[in-house]
Amino acid sequence: MKILFASSELYPLIKTGGLADVAVSLPAALKALQQDIKIMMPGYRDVLASIDGAKPIATLSLLDHTIALLCTSLPRAALEVWLVDHVLFDRPGNPYLAKNGAPWPDNAQRFALFDRAVAAVAMGHANLDWEPDIVHCNDWQSALAPALLASERRRPATVYTIHNLSYQGIFPQATYRELGLPNELWSVEGLEFYGQLSFMKGGLNFADRISTVSPGYAREIQTPEFGCGLEGLLKRRHTVLSGIVNGIDTDMWNPARDAFLIKNYDRENLVDKQANRCALQRAFELPQQNKVALIGMIGRLVEQKGVDLLLNALPELIKLPVQIALLGAGQPEYEQALRGWSQRHPNQLGVRIGYDEVLAHRIEAGADMFLMPSRFEPCGLNQMYSQRYGTVPIVRRTGGLQDTVVDANAENIKAGTATGLIFEEASGPELVAAVRRALSLWEDSTVWPQLMLTGMQQDFSWRHSAQQYLALYRQALADRRLVSV
Ligand code: ADP
Ligand code: GLC
């Protein structure tokens, strides 16, 4: 199949979260399955500056804008990337936010232009001698493309993946008019969401197939608690909605070969994990102690990730024999509160505010446990990375976390299937109870290594999930045929 994969971020060119990881590793897995795949992304300033010799391959007129399409390739699996070059993307830093942390005021214009470019390429208007069978869009930033394509007669099939339902791309009605979108799309069955424009609804209402990044989240988003107001629509389309759990890049995240680590290790050589532990304590200026458990945490510091639960739990957590090494950036009030705690308890809580890829790998390798107390989590990648690194995850029972971690209850321990600890309620006391439970298992010299090794043996590669996407693409093609007949 010829697949056009549209994403607003792509590792290593630009990344704010897990979408960037998926946007490279899923296409690489599909390519390994002999599929012909091109990735399309906005040509942000920092991206264009970081690559040499991007080749212009087309020019397109889209309403009153002209864009250039530039072609480059990622060393990873020699993937071809098509970048949309336009002055609207010629800005430094974060792809969505200005330096003051607020969204760029013209994000609707920026991503509507990107989506028009995706639709135009999909319809062969760029004269590239390459027309896709499938257009696969991701999150709100590319969600208008399925809507723009829906009315075309001989169009490719469309698939839309929700990575996070809580970011929908909502803009005022006036913006809708400025964007020159077709009048007939302004309805509740179209792009309107309570009198406003919703980019997300373009994907949800018009794609032939909708997926999200875990079966658990696919169920949850059909309920008012997780549906963000879109549960009715999702329930209505449940026959074309499915969940496919993300894989991970098992080359990039491999403790036996990870070049960022102080010392590589594997299942047969677990003692070498210890050198990474010491280095991590040093990096966070924590005392070199063996009798306390070292807990790692990495992520965007936003409500989704349960940062408030951690803050609520900290007064009790610091009474336990634990050290915490936390890396993240996000809401200023969370950053400030965490910094304050670490200043008051420097021997137990190390906090690094910022984005640091190398340190993220070192935390996965050096910690004993990995904490992910998310309030909701469409999939989550770090709990899979940590299992691969023999770092036992402590997670909340939600979304993809419950699909990828097996709780260390008595039954699962006995069966040899347990890989981590799961707690139920989103509350500080439950988080503390889970850490206590982890500590008692950590002291058990039979059970703990078993948890580590079972986690390290899990197959989180893209092999299965990429096959599931292929099946999804075939279903989308069949659905499109039915619609156009
Ligand atoms: P989300 O996409 O919701 O942020 P995921 O768990 O899917 O959550 O993916 C987050 C990705 O971003 C992981 O690869 C994680 O290691 C990385 N990451 C998040 N915050 C940071 C940070 N401050 N420094 C380095 N990597 C980070
Ligand atoms: C989103 C979700 C996260 C998921 C990632 C990649 O950012 O918050 O749970 O793993 O997308 O699909």
Side-chain angles (χ1 to χ4, degrees):
M1 274 182 261
K2 290 193 174 65
I3 304 154
L4 183 63
F5 189 93
S7 174
S8 58
E9 31 187 292
L10 173 62
Y11 183 83
L13 298 181
I14 193 147
K15 167 168 168 177
T16 72
L19 171 61
D21 294 7
V22 173
V24 61
S25 52
L26 171 56
L30 289 166
K31 191 169 174 198
L33 293 173
Q34 318 307 324
Q35 307 303 310
D36 180 0
I37 187 156
K38 318 280 182 203
I39 305 171
M40 209 164 148
M41 187 176 78
Y44 309 107
R45 181 190 291 182
D46 293 355
V47 168
L48 296 186
S50 71
I51 52 178
D52 284 334
K55 199 173 83 211
I57 50 169
T59 306
L60 275 167
S61 290
L62 304 164
L63 293 186
D64 42 2
H65 297 286
T66 301
I67 61 128
L69 207 59
L70 308 178
C71 175
T72 186
S73 77
L74 289 183
R76 181 85 185 79
L79 284 166
E80 204 167 300
V81 183
W82 292 348
L83 298 163
V84 176
D85 187 17
H86 186 272
V87 67
L88 282 173
F89 301 117
D90 186 17
R91 299 181 193 166
N94 187 293
Y96 320 121
L97 310 176
K99 220 169 169 183
N100 64 6
W104 292 110
D106 54 357
N107 271 347
Q109 282 77 7
R110 299 170 76 224
F111 291 102
L113 181 67
F114 175 58
D115 294 1
R116 281 189 193 281
V118 171
V121 169
M123 291 306 297
H125 298 162
N127 298 320
L128 287 169
D129 202 20
W130 187 90
E131 287 179 33
D133 305 300
I134 298 287
V135 179
H136 185 167
C137 297
N138 296 276
D139 272 352
W140 76 263
Q141 295 88 349
S142 52
L144 288 185
L148 294 167
L149 287 168
S151 57
E152 297 284 353
R153 272 178 55 81
R154 295 185 51 226
R155 65 170 176 84
T158 51
V159 169
Y160 179 65
T161 298
I162 305 163
H163 295 263
N164 195 330
L165 195 64
S166 70
Y167 301 96
Q168 298 177 3
I170 303 280
F171 301 93
Q173 184 178 8
T175 306
Y176 187 89
R177 287 192 295 271
E178 284 161 29
L179 294 179
L181 289 165
N183 281 337
E184 60 274 18
L185 292 183
W186 184 258
S187 73
V188 177
E189 294 75 38
L191 302 175
E192 184 194 343
F193 187 59
Y194 297 101
Q196 294 192 292
L197 159 64
S198 159
F199 271 56
M200 176 75 89
K201 282 188 75 174
L204 300 185
N205 271 328
F206 295 100
D208 295 310
R209 287 270 159 173
I210 307 166
S211 74
T212 187
V213 287
S214 69
Y217 195 58
R219 285 191 302 275
E220 287 172 348
I221 56 177
Q222 297 179 53
T223 67
E225 193 186 346
F226 296 95
C228 305
L230 290 164
E231 59 276 8
L233 160 52
L234 289 162
K235 249 177 47 202
R236 189 165 51 74
R237 295 210 76 200
H238 76 273
T239 53
V240 296
L241 166 67
S242 57
I244 301 177
V245 75
N246 284 333
I248 62 171
D249 186 325
T250 48
D251 293 331
M252 281 259 323
W253 294 92
N254 177 359
R257 259 178 276 140
D258 189 332
F260 296 141
L261 303 195
I262 303 302
K263 193 153 193 184
N264 290 112
Y265 62 95
D266 58 24
R267 268 177 282 166
E268 274 80 53
N269 249 321
L270 269 181
V271 281
D272 288 339
K273 186 169 161 56
Q274 182 65 19
N276 293 289
R277 189 183 196 271
C278 294
L280 185 60
Q281 285 171 322
R282 260 198 309 280
F284 278 88
E285 293 173 34
L286 296 164
Q288 302 274 321
Q289 292 169 343
N290 278 332
K291 293 226 152 59
V292 298
L294 180 52
I295 304 178
M297 184 163 166
I298 305 164
R300 294 178 294 115
L301 299 178
V302 296
E303 200 190 324
Q304 173 191 346
K305 302 292 175 184
V307 188
D308 56 325
L309 304 187
L310 174 69
L311 287 169
N312 183 281
L314 274 176
E316 288 302 314
L317 283 184
I318 55 158
K319 293 183 194 153
L320 301 175
V322 297
Q323 294 176 337
I324 299 175
L326 183 147
L327 165 66
Q331 290 173 20
E333 65 276 19
Y334 288 147
E335 294 183 352
Q336 221 170 5
L338 287 165
R339 271 207 191 97
W341 271 97
S342 112
Q343 275 154 11
R344 291 191 297 278
H345 301 276
N347 289 340
Q348 276 191 280
L349 181 57
V351 169
R352 193 70 64 80
I353 300 297
Y355 188 89
D356 187 334
E357 194 71 32
V358 176
L359 190 57
H361 285 247
R362 291 182 176 169
I363 292 175
E364 292 291 8
D368 301 308
M369 305 169 184
F370 192 88
L371 184 61
M372 233 166 143
S374 306
R375 285 182 173 275
F376 70 94
E377 195 62 75
C379 180
L381 299 173
N382 280 308
Q383 80 283 8
M384 294 191 269
Y385 298 152
S386 64
Q387 286 175 64
R388 200 157 155 74
Y389 282 66
T391 301
V392 176
I394 304 173
V395 305
R396 239 204 94 223
R397 186 181 300 286
T398 187
L401 298 178
Q402 64 189 323
D403 292 339
T404 52
V405 177
V406 179
D407 184 54
N409 58 30
E411 195 183 325
N412 293 337
I413 290 175
K414 192 154 165 245
T417 54
T419 58
L421 290 97
I422 307 187
F423 64 100
E424 305 285 333
E425 293 301 315
S427 78
E430 282 243 0
L431 195 166
V432 176
V435 172
R436 279 187 204 281
R437 188 156 69 93
L439 285 173
S440 68
L441 295 174
W442 189 60
E443 278 156 17
D444 186 322
S445 59
T446 322
V447 171
W448 194 260
Q450 186 195 319
L451 293 183
M452 292 169 71
L453 290 171
T454 312
M456 291 177 92
Q457 278 161 5
Q458 299 301 304
D459 180 4
F460 290 123
S461 74
W462 271 102
R463 225 157 31 96
H464 303 297
S465 298
Q467 293 282 6
Q468 287 179 278
Y469 274 103
L470 275 187
L472 185 71
Y473 295 160
R474 289 195 192 100
Q475 287 165 337
L477 280 166
D479 291 350
R480 181 204 52 177
R481 259 175 243 127
L482 287 177
V483 172
S484 54
V485 162

